[in-house]
Amino acid sequence: MIDLHTHSTVSDGSDPPAQIVALAAAADCRAVALTDHDRLDGVPEARAEAARRGLELVAGCELSCVWGPGTFHLLVYFLEPGLGPLQEHLTTLQGQRDERNHRLVARLQELGLPITFEEVEAEAGGAGIGRPHVAAVLVRKGVVASVAEAFDRWLAKGKPGYVRKATLEPGEAIDLALASGAVPVLAHPHSLGLEPGGLGPTLRELSERGLAGVECHYGAYQPEERAGLTALAGRLGLVATGGSDYHGRYKPDLSVGTGRGDLEVPDAVIDSLRERRAA
Ligand code: AMP
Ligand code: FE
Ligand code: FE
Ligand code: ZN
């Protein structure tokens, strides 16, 4: 078993990078990818812990891309910290996220909600602020009962508190990943919000652009959804990847390795991805 999608305190997860690796080891994972939003800062700590515990740490990150009406997230694997076009662009993405975070808090204040930027910063513990931190402050203030409700009522796309962030086009993100020697994979494909039958043509186009894989074994998907996506990936020659999208207490129903309890990403996926890197 492996897990190719996790978030730490470096972005919007609640566990430090080393703890993610410890949880992966406890779940009997042979490998785990750290895929914080827009940041590689957790990789050295996670890698040191992985070396101690004898499992493989895949360096990665998750990039938000321009897409309407749904959400397009690109997972990028084997992206080592250091020099490269995508690594250099991460600082721009972090700046755009920062700017969005300030506008988001201002919007919520305009809507009359009791929240300050300082509170959100304190929740996040500094860098890598995201909407789950805003949601957690709204829970603490009694505005909503859960992080999920904060998204449903205020923060999700189309809700009154939603504020768009400037970011990459999908094709640009794929190009940057490839130019950095990394492997781009589409995360949680159902979030694209496409009609049934729309996903195939879109994946074909992305594949022609250089997309290597699609996240079929996703923690929050049902077994039949995973099977359908895996069959589609096979027809298109894309690697059927997978992971839990673990965020610690911000997504309390998901565990490293096992997702909601029934996830099992095959070990061989990591070798298929590695071959795409060499290709
Ligand atoms: P951001 O990158 O700051 O725009 O926030 C996006 C993050 O919010 C995602 O990566 C998830 O961690 C989280 N998220 C998005 N939608 C939901 C939801 N409905 N419930 C809980 N968390 C969500
Ligand atoms: Fe997240
Ligand atoms: Fe995502
Ligand atoms: Zn994620």
Side-chain angles (χ1 to χ4, degrees), residues 5-189:
H5 193 162
T6 68
H7 296 265
S8 77
T9 45
V10 162
S11 65
D12 57 0
S14 62
D15 294 330
Q19 177 67 8
I20 302 288
V21 174
L23 291 169
D28 264 336
C29 288
R30 190 175 71 75
V32 61
L34 187 66
T35 53
D36 278 308
H37 300 282
D38 308 336
R39 289 181 181 267
L40 296 167
D41 309 56
V43 169
E45 176 186 319
R47 180 154 285 153
E49 187 66 20
R52 262 196 296 280
R53 292 177 180 272
L55 62 157
E56 178 179 356
L57 188 281
V58 177
C61 69
E62 185 174 18
L63 307 175
S64 310
C65 297
V66 180
W67 191 262
T71 297
F72 189 116
H73 286 178
L74 192 74
L75 291 161
V76 180
Y77 294 116
F78 308 113
L79 183 71
E80 294 298 328
L83 283 183
L86 177 50
Q87 289 90 330
E88 280 173 31
H89 195 75
L90 293 180
T91 45
T92 303
L93 296 178
Q94 289 159 17
Q96 290 168 337
R97 170 177 288 280
D98 232 43
E99 194 261 340
R100 188 284 313 260
N101 290 337
H102 279 94
R103 286 194 296 127
L104 170 53
V105 172
R107 165 77 62 88
L108 296 176
Q109 288 170 343
E110 277 165 31
L111 290 166
L113 302 188
I115 188 167
T116 66
F117 192 78
E118 289 65 36
E119 288 165 339
V120 176
E121 238 175 352
E123 172 66 33
I129 298 173
R131 279 181 287 165
H133 301 120
V134 174
V137 172
L138 295 178
V139 172
R140 187 148 2 92
K141 292 296 188 75
V143 175
V144 288
S146 65
V147 167
E149 190 191 336
F151 276 89
D152 286 350
R153 283 185 56 191
W154 301 101
L155 303 175
K157 203 166 186 177
K159 298 302 156 91
Y162 180 75
V163 176
R164 214 170 71 86
K165 83 179 164 275
T167 186
L168 295 162
E169 297 287 340
E172 287 180 299
I174 290 171
D175 287 348
L176 280 168
L178 296 174
S180 292
V183 177
V185 167
L186 178 65
H188 39 70

